Amino acid sequence: VTAEQLQHYPPPIADGFRALAASIHGVEAQQVIATNGGDELLRLAVSTFVEPGQAVGVLEPSYSLYRVLADLNQSPAVRVPLAEDWSCPADAARTFNEARAKLVFVTNPHAPSGRLTPVVQLSALAGELDALVVVDEAYVDFVDPDLGHDAVPLVSNHENVLILRTLSKGYSLAGLRFGYGIGAPGIIEPMLTKTRDSYNVGVVGQRLAVAALESRDRAAQTWEAVRRERTRLREALAQLGLDTPPSQSNFLLATVPDWAGHARTLCDALEDRGVLVRHFDQGCLRDKLRITVGTPTDTDRLLGELKTCIAAASPIGAPPEPS
Amino acid sequence: VTAEQLQHYPPPIADGFRALAASIHGVEAQQVIATNGGDELLRLAVSTFVEPGQAVGVLEPSYSLYRVLADLNQSPAVRVPLAEDWSCPADAARTFNEARAKLVFVTNPHAPSGRLTPVVQLSALAGELDALVVVDEAYVDFVDPDLGHDAVPLVSNHENVLILRTLSKGYSLAGLRFGYGIGAPGIIEPMLTKTRDSYNVGVVGQRLAVAALESRDRAAQTWEAVRRERTRLREALAQLGLDTPPSQSNFLLATVPDWAGHARTLCDALEDRGVLVRHFDQGCLRDKLRITVGTPTDTDRLLGELKTCIAAASPIGAPPEPS
């Protein structure tokens, strides 16, 4: 990016980026909107399609911003708890419809569990719902390509599906603030022309985003490395007695068994040793830790410190022998 | 900005930038909010402080976005026409108060006239109004420093003043999308914590904005050059028969006299010759052109083409002789 380019207002709707993203995803440019991080897309979806007072549907637990945005819009949040395996309960659509939710957030892969909902189930959900379905794919780049998962074709068959992508996770560009949405033209257009700030993404962001997508083969090597490490970390955690659901994201949600102490205590002890994991002090997440998959060195470090902390916390110092 | 910095989420409220801007303006960091361009600040001001249905006050003509944001907020716009000299009419505050406007936009220097309202008048207006006064200082960097104009102290005496600054004009960084607001902590805080997207400005923007403010002495040389050229252009336009009100901005609003043809026609003719000026097809602006002050070469080019176009358009070919 040159000083000359910085001087001028950026392409207002990021044409270059839209065309590139559209060609990658096999859609038209008019089906893509570029946003100042994925968070802006979430805000635009609510403010464009939900009148104040109309309900917003949320599967819980999930990204806390969904409920913040509902509150800001003076919209009641209809909260449906996920099933124990983090899947969407069969009656969720009915509950959302009965509460007249105008928009439903679905995180896929789910955070913080990492669970992937197959496209066929998303399609069924979109078909049942009388709401706009925002499929938040912030972590989708880490899905195993062997699964052939691709939710984008949904937007051709469902006028009520908006897919969120971001460069913050899979492209390691969280500092840049660049996300985008994919949907039917009828969904993209009002956000683009009505509610969006006229120049919502700067020229630096647009340029780097184009460069990032153009060199996605390089990013894909990182995703593959994350998947390899995810498998190894998951097995090692299981050996330590910490179960995790299968994850298609770049983190694992580990349940801390009773004998290993409280998850919160373990989280703090790890932090004292310079290892950062996330603990959510809410509902079914209280006994769990979200552990981000890092480099092999990160994994070794984490496992070593985890072993030490558990040994210190537990009078047993090891999982009970299988009976 | 390193790849490492791009990987991580940016400082969420741009602490470094806030501290620097605060020290430059002689306020506390908590009185500053950084935004994704000035437009985001305008949106935040409306969405944070004006409930849907409550009125927004606008002095006309002015930046068209004010009314767009009012519409988006489902707020009626109370429109008060500026006086013929582009000053704020004496009864404007009463009109806005009677309409129960919750927020009033004041552009200073005004666009597109370039007129500067002195701080003492802004202070009186803020004192009279039962509304938040958003003083849009997008063009303030071009004000002659000999005037000693500084609206920032207003925010210490008036809880209802929010000042907008941007790096798009004075710092030639429109491509970056970086603006900021200055106000009482009670005004800044709700925008910062409630309505703003969590990471509204990226790390690149934050870094370049800090660098821009740190090297503002260099930018000040450009502002001085603009002022010199503004004076020369204004005199030359007057000699061509095109009057302009005194401008403290980086543009002049020239009235096209009847004998020189229609302003729209002149605007198109100039564009055909590669010279871009702005024509606004509304009310009292219809017979005027907004001419941006450029380099000396730009001025010479403009004046030459303007002379040619006027000669071609006018049967007289010159202003009538003074009687």
Side-chain angles (χ1 to χ4, degrees):
Chain A
V1 181
T2 65
E4 164 83 18
Q5 287 163 344
L6 282 171
Q7 279 179 28
H8 297 101
Y9 282 84
I13 54 171
D15 298 301
F17 174 83
R18 290 176 87 203
L20 175 62
S23 77
I24 289 172
H25 292 293
V27 297
E28 301 295 319
Q30 60 181 0
Q31 296 181 264
V32 177
I33 179 173
T35 55
N36 188 36
D39 287 356
E40 188 194 14
L41 183 68
L42 296 172
R43 174 171 53 76
L44 288 177
V46 173
S47 66
T48 309
F49 299 108
V50 188
E51 298 284 324
Q54 293 180 330
V56 165
V58 180
L59 293 158
E60 292 206 325
S62 64
Y63 187 22
S64 56
L65 182 64
Y66 303 153
R67 287 186 55 197
V68 171
L69 291 172
D71 284 353
L72 278 176
N73 201 55
Q74 297 166 15
S75 289
V78 186
R79 300 150 65 181
V80 170
L82 290 168
E84 206 164 335
D85 67 350
W86 310 100
S87 66
C88 181
D91 60 353
R94 207 179 51 213
T95 306
F96 289 136
N97 284 342
E98 282 172 359
R100 297 176 190 272
K102 297 291 287 184
L103 183 155
V104 172
F105 290 109
V106 178
T107 323
N108 199 43
H110 177 250
S113 74
R115 184 184 201 276
L116 183 74
T117 299
V119 175
V120 61
Q121 288 175 27
L122 291 176
S123 179
L125 188 64
E128 280 182 82
L129 280 168
D130 303 327
L132 174 66
V133 186
V134 177
V135 183
D136 181 344
E137 295 199 328
Y139 299 97
V140 80
D141 296 315
F142 303 104
V143 173
D144 188 339
D146 292 347
L147 297 177
H149 178 85
D150 182 6
V152 173
L154 284 180
V155 307
S156 307
N157 304 323
H158 298 276
E159 295 273 324
N160 63 332
V161 170
L162 174 65
I163 293 176
L164 176 150
R165 294 289 189 115
T166 175
L167 272 59
S168 295
K169 323 286 181 184
Y171 290 87
S172 302
L173 288 171
L176 193 63
R177 316 310 302 136
F178 205 97
Y180 59 104
I182 310 169
I187 291 176
I188 299 301
E189 200 268 343
M191 297 192 289
L192 214 51
T193 58
K194 203 183 131 206
T195 39
R196 185 186 59 96
D197 290 346
S198 307
Y199 298 97
N200 63 326
V201 282
V203 67
V204 179
Q206 293 186 33
R207 292 289 171 131
L208 288 183
V210 165
L213 288 198
E214 278 173 345
S215 59
R216 63 195 178 283
D217 288 350
R218 211 170 340 144
Q221 294 174 14
T222 308
W223 308 337
E224 179 56 33
V226 165
R227 283 189 291 269
R228 274 197 306 271
E229 214 46 30
R230 182 171 70 199
T231 304
R232 180 168 87 93
L233 178 60
R234 186 163 186 243
E235 286 165 5
L237 288 172
Q239 282 183 358
L240 286 177
L242 277 65
D243 283 337
T244 59
S247 169
Q248 288 297 327
S249 185
N250 66 334
F251 45 72
L252 290 163
L253 187 66
T255 302
V256 179
D258 285 344
W259 56 263
H262 290 294
R264 175 79 251 168
T265 313
L266 194 51
C267 180
D268 292 341
L270 285 169
E271 187 173 347
D272 289 344
R273 293 168 165 273
V275 173
L276 296 179
V277 301
R278 280 291 294 273
H279 178 252
F280 302 91
D281 193 17
Q282 57 176 97
C284 61
L285 297 176
R286 276 210 183 83
D287 64 342
K288 297 177 177 62
L289 295 176
R290 194 194 72 180
I291 303 174
T292 300
V293 179
T295 63
T297 315
D298 293 336
T299 305
D300 293 341
R301 174 90 195 282
L302 168 84
L303 291 170
E305 300 293 357
L306 198 55
K307 235 176 269 190
T308 310
C309 292
I310 291 176
S314 157
I316 312 173
E321 291 295 317
S323 57
Chain B
V1 180
T2 65
E4 164 83 19
Q5 287 163 344
L6 281 172
Q7 279 179 27
H8 298 100
Y9 282 84
I13 54 170
D15 296 302
F17 175 84
R18 291 176 87 202
L20 175 62
S23 77
I24 289 172
H25 292 293
V27 298
E28 302 294 318
Q30 60 182 0
Q31 295 181 264
V32 177
I33 180 173
T35 56
N36 189 37
D39 287 356
E40 188 193 14
L41 183 68
L42 296 173
R43 174 171 53 75
L44 288 176
V46 173
S47 65
T48 309
F49 299 109
V50 188
E51 298 284 322
Q54 293 180 330
V56 166
V58 181
L59 293 158
E60 293 206 324
S62 64
Y63 187 22
S64 56
L65 182 64
Y66 303 153
R67 287 185 55 196
V68 171
L69 291 171
D71 284 352
L72 278 177
N73 201 55
Q74 296 165 14
S75 289
V78 186
R79 299 151 66 179
V80 170
L82 290 168
E84 207 164 332
D85 67 350
W86 310 101
S87 66
C88 181
D91 60 352
R94 207 179 52 214
T95 307
F96 289 136
N97 284 342
E98 281 173 359
R100 296 177 191 271
K102 297 292 286 185
L103 184 155
V104 173
F105 290 109
V106 179
T107 323
N108 199 42
H110 177 252
S113 73
R115 185 185 201 276
L116 183 74
T117 299
V119 175
V120 61
Q121 288 175 26
L122 291 176
S123 179
L125 187 65
E128 280 182 82
L129 280 169
D130 304 329
L132 174 66
V133 186
V134 177
V135 183
D136 181 343
E137 295 199 328
Y139 298 98
V140 80
D141 295 315
F142 303 104
V143 173
D144 188 339
D146 292 347
L147 297 177
H149 179 86
D150 182 7
V152 174
L154 284 179
V155 306
S156 306
N157 304 323
H158 297 277
E159 294 274 323
N160 63 332
V161 170
L162 174 65
I163 293 176
L164 175 150
R165 295 288 190 116
T166 175
L167 272 59
S168 295
K169 323 285 182 184
Y171 290 87
S172 302
L173 288 171
L176 194 62
R177 313 311 303 135
F178 205 97
Y180 60 105
I182 310 169
I187 291 176
I188 300 299
E189 200 269 343
M191 295 192 290
L192 215 51
T193 59
K194 204 184 132 206
T195 38
R196 185 185 58 96
D197 289 347
S198 305
Y199 298 97
N200 63 326
V201 281
V203 67
V204 179
Q206 293 186 32
R207 291 291 170 131
L208 289 184
V210 165
L213 288 198
E214 279 173 345
S215 58
R216 63 195 177 285
D217 288 350
R218 214 173 335 146
Q221 294 174 12
T222 308
W223 308 336
E224 180 55 32
V226 165
R227 282 188 291 269
R228 274 196 307 271
E229 214 46 29
R230 183 172 68 200
T231 304
R232 180 167 87 93
L233 177 60
R234 187 163 184 241
E235 287 164 5
L237 288 171
Q239 283 184 355
L240 285 178
L242 276 64
D243 283 337
T244 59
S247 168
Q248 288 297 327
S249 186
N250 65 335
F251 44 73
L252 290 163
L253 187 66
T255 302
V256 179
D258 285 345
W259 56 263
H262 290 295
R264 176 78 252 167
T265 313
L266 194 51
C267 180
D268 292 342
L270 285 169
E271 186 173 347
D272 288 345
R273 293 166 166 274
V275 173
L276 295 179
V277 300
R278 281 290 293 275
H279 178 253
F280 303 91
D281 193 16
Q282 56 175 99
C284 61
L285 296 176
R286 275 208 185 84
D287 64 343
K288 297 177 176 63
L289 295 176
R290 195 193 72 181
I291 303 174
T292 299
V293 179
T295 63
T297 315
D298 293 337
T299 306
D300 293 341
R301 174 91 195 282
L302 168 83
L303 291 170
E305 299 294 357
L306 198 54
K307 234 176 271 190
T308 310
C309 292
I310 290 177
S314 157
I316 313 174
E321 291 295 316
S323 56

